[in-house]
């Protein structure tokens, strides 16, 4: 699991975490250490860029510089803005808000723009990216004519980063293009390097790897001219990440080794820990397990010395995976469990979910299927919590927007009433006009109140429409347009017994499809499998994307024989013909677990328990070699406690006859249909 230590506020996707280095810890080309000359704008650039890797230290340096004096008003304003930004990076949003208040107290447009920039960073830190972008846009407008190119550069970089986080890649590319132009006007190659790296990051995320590499070629040329180890570290790390998008492991390994080599020439322990972590991850992917173990353990030691618990946890997990792959299960599992405990303690739940998924994959490869199943279940449970919290956050943002609009409407109404009262007081001194003027003002007030009332009603309708739209979107998978997990669970009453049949399907070796053919091919496979499942099922059947490469089919009651035929039909629909992908075709197979309710030999079961049993049947199908279906025909369990005991010890229950399974083989070739037992 690669990692970037210098921009911790928001996690990037796995392949791009290292690329966040391009926004961080470069030393300005004009450099520090020239104590004989006056304080200059180049010193501000050095504080800014170096402070991206150590925000708390940058705040101390800025405070000392402000206390020493000897700086221009423009430099003082820029340093205050940087102080606010680095306080946000250091997790001190309240202190950053005070800096924004101090800036807002100054009457100049430049100070207002700096305050808006700090507030944009605060909003983004708190997860409100849309609000952060709106504030950054206002900051850009306020600073447009200020002449402070360095503040304009920082605003452009902030806008580009926030748009990237929202997935608005074309707009992000425009903002980073503006940043490159500003850096060239300032004539600061270190800033230009930072902007080119960021632009390369966006192009890589958008899938345009050739254009991304062109940007990085430009960045590398700048870094070679600077001859700065940190700049070279950043650029080689970026090239390694772009190589990961094309699955060029040889290029990725070479670039990672160069990045690690240059990092060791810097005085940044954080940078060294990061490049060692990333190099260990590449060794892991290329199956050089002893080197992956040694490199990851070095990263752990360095990260712990600098207090970077997050990087230490990821590196320790990588070391554990290497040991598991080397056959040292006990030692490897112990290391990964410590890494999981550390992530749990830091409340880094997205990191925790990623580590759990990698842990499960390593255990499955080592043949420890029960432990792998436990890890998969822990990952699934955590991802469900994160999904639920994401939905709540979206609802709160909509409610906050509505409350803001309603408050503004109330303010407008109050202003209208105040104007009406003032007019009435003035009219008392003008007795001859009093009735006419009062009537006119009253009429205007009534019209205004009527218009404002209509606005409130319109806002209420928009909120209702937004809630309905959010509900529809939350119940549909955006890629396949199938129902999702939430849509099914919301229809189930807690404790209610389920009648019908459940089919839980998983695409075989889907990770390998993504790794070998790319994520575009993976998405094409997901969409085609969804379409084939619609074709293979009835109109009354509910077909859902359960998560990742898993699909769930819930049907009305049917006999066991009909369920067997349906399982056969589903396997044939998926594996009977190759699936077209970008650049060719791909033969895809799937594993299936299914169960019919009411189930012979057991009491009634809820949908939740039924899905757990179907999941265990799916796991049994995979354990038998994949490309097959496994159905639970009967279950010797007269109580809920007995069912729970079977779930915990499923393999034992199968061996001693408490569970009866039926296997259906999948397609033996592109055209051969599956066989019923």
């Amino acid at each position: 699991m690669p990692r970037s230590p210098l921009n911790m506020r928001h996690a990037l996707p796995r392949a791009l975490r290292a690329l966040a280095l391009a926004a961080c810890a470069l030393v300005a080309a004009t450099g520090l250490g020239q104590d004989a000359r006056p304080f200059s704008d180049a010193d501000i650039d050095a504080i800014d860029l170096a402070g991206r890797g150590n925000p708390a230290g940058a705040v101390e340096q800025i405070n000392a510089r402000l206390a020493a004096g000897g700086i221009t008003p423009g430099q003082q304003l820029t340093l205050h803005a940087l102080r606010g930004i680095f306080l946000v990076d250091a997790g001190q949003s309240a202190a950053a808000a005070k800096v924004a208040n101090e800036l807002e107290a100054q009457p100049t447009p430049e100070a207002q723009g700096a305050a808006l920039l700090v507030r944009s960073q605060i909003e983004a830190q708190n997860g409100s990216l849309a609000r952060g972008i709106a504030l950054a846009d206002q900051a850009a407008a306020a600073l447009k004519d200020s002449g402070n190119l360095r503040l304009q550069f920082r605003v452009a970089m902030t806008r580009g980063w926030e748009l990237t986080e929202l997935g608005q890649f074309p707009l992000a590319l425009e903002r980073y293009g503006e940043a490159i132009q500003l850096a060239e006007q300032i004539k600061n190659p270190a800033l230009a390097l930072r902007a080119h790296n960021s632009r390369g990051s966006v192009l890589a995320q958008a899938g345009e790897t050739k254009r991304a590499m062109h940007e990085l070629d430009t960045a590398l040329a700048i870094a070679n001219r600077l001859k700065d180890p940190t700049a070279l570290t950043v650029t080689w790390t970026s090239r390694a990440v772009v190589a990961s998008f094309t699955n060029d492991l040889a290029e990725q390994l070479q670039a990672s080794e160069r990045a690690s080599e240059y990092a060791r020439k810097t005085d940044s322990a954080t940078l060294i820990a990061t490049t060692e972590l990333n190099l260990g991850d590449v060794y892991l992917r290329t199956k050089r397990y002893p080197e992956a173990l040694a490199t990851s353990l070095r990263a752990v030691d360095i990260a712990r010395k600098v207090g970077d618990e997050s990087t230490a946890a990821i590196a320790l997990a990588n070391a554990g995976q290497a040991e598991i792959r080397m056959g040292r299960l006990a030692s490897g599992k112990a290391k990964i469990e410590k890494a999981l405990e550390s992530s749990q303690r830091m409340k880094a739940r997205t990191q925790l979910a990623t580590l759990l998924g990698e842990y499960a994959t390593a255990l499955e490869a080592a043949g420890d299927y029960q432990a792998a199943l436990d890890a998969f279940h822990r990952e699934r449970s955590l991802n469900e919590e994160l999904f639920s919290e994401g939905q709540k956050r979206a609802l709160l943002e909509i409610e906050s927007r509505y409350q803001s609009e309603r408050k503004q409407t109330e303010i407008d109404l109050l202003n209208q009433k105040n104007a009406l009262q003032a007019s009435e007081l003035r009219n008392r001194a003008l007795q001859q006009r009093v009735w006419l003027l009062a009537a006119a003002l009253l009429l205007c007030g009534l019209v205004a109140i009527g218009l404002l009332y209509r606005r409130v009603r319109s806002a209420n309708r928009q909120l209702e429409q937004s809630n309905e739209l959010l509900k529809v979107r939350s119940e549909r998978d955006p890629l396949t347009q199938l129902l999702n997990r939430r849509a099914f669970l919301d229809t189930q009453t807690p404790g209610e017994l389920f009648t019908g049949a459940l089919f839980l399907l998983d695409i075989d070796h889907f990770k390998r499809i993504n790794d070998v053919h790319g994520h575009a091919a993976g998405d094409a496979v997901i969409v085609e499998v969804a379409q084939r499942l619609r074709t293979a099922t009835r109109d009354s059947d509910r077909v859902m994307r359960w998560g990742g490469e898993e699909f769930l089919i819930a049907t009305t009651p049917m006999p066991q024989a009909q369920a067997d035929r349906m399982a056969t039909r589903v396997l044939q629909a998926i594996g009977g013909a190759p699936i077209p992908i970008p650049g060719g075709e791909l033969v895809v197979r799937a594993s299936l677990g299914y169960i019919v309710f009411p189930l012979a030999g057991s009491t009634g079961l809820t949908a939740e328990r039924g899905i757990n049993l179907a999941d265990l049947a799916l796991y049994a199908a995979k354990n038998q070699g994949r490309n097959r279906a496994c159905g639970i025909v009967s279950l010797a369990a007269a109580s809920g406690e007995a069912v729970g005991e079977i779930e915990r010890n499923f393999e034992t229950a199968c061996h001693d006859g408490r569970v009866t399974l039926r296997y259906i083989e999948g397609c033996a070739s592109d055209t051969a249909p599956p066989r019923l037992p």
Side-chain angles (χ1 to χ4, degrees), residues 402 406 455-465:
Y402 166 72
R406 187 175 68 177
R455 286 182 60 187
V456 172
R457 290 187 60 188
S458 175
N460 286 333
R461 286 196 298 271
Q462 291 177 6
L463 178 61
E464 292 173 359
Q465 293 170 359

Side-chain angles (χ1 to χ4, degrees), residues 208-220:
E208 299 188 35
T209 52
K210 289 185 178 179
R211 291 181 61 193
M213 194 59 76
H214 176 73
E215 289 288 339
L216 296 182
D217 287 341
T218 303
L220 183 59

Side-chain angles (χ1 to χ4, degrees), residues 272-388:
I272 296 171
T274 299
T275 53
E276 291 293 289
L277 168 63
N278 295 335
L279 180 59
D281 188 80
V282 177
Y283 283 148
L284 197 60
R285 293 181 60 196
T286 53
K287 300 182 180 181
R288 295 168 62 170
Y289 301 129
E291 293 161 287
L293 176 61
T295 305
S296 298
L297 289 177
R298 285 199 303 271
V300 172
D301 292 338
I302 299 170
R304 284 175 174 169
K305 289 178 182 177
V306 297
D308 189 349
E309 188 175 356
S310 180
T311 297
I314 298 171
L316 187 61
N318 281 354
Q321 290 184 58
E323 287 200 305
I324 290 175
R325 301 282 185 169
M326 293 165 64
R328 292 150 56 175
L329 261 66
S331 178
K333 290 167 73 173
K335 285 183 173 62
I336 295 180
E337 288 295 340
K338 287 183 180 179
L340 295 176
E341 290 175 7
S342 179
S343 299
Q344 183 74 40
R345 185 170 58 256
M346 291 184 293
K347 299 181 179 179
R349 291 189 292 173
T350 301
Q351 173 178 307
L352 180 61
T354 302
L355 294 181
L356 281 169
E358 295 175 350
Y359 187 20
T361 301
L363 289 171
E364 184 179 15
D368 193 346
Y369 297 112
Q370 185 60 49
L373 181 61
D374 291 341
F376 275 126
H377 284 318
R378 291 164 66 187
E379 179 196 15
R380 176 179 297 171
S381 175
L382 187 55
N383 280 327
E384 288 175 355
E385 291 179 13
L386 293 171
F387 174 80
S388 176

Side-chain angles (χ1 to χ4, degrees), residues 232-249:
L232 289 163
T233 301
V234 167
T235 308
W236 281 108
T237 299
S238 302
R239 296 179 73 89
V241 173
V242 173
S244 73
F245 280 87
T246 58
N247 294 311
D248 189 344
L249 288 177

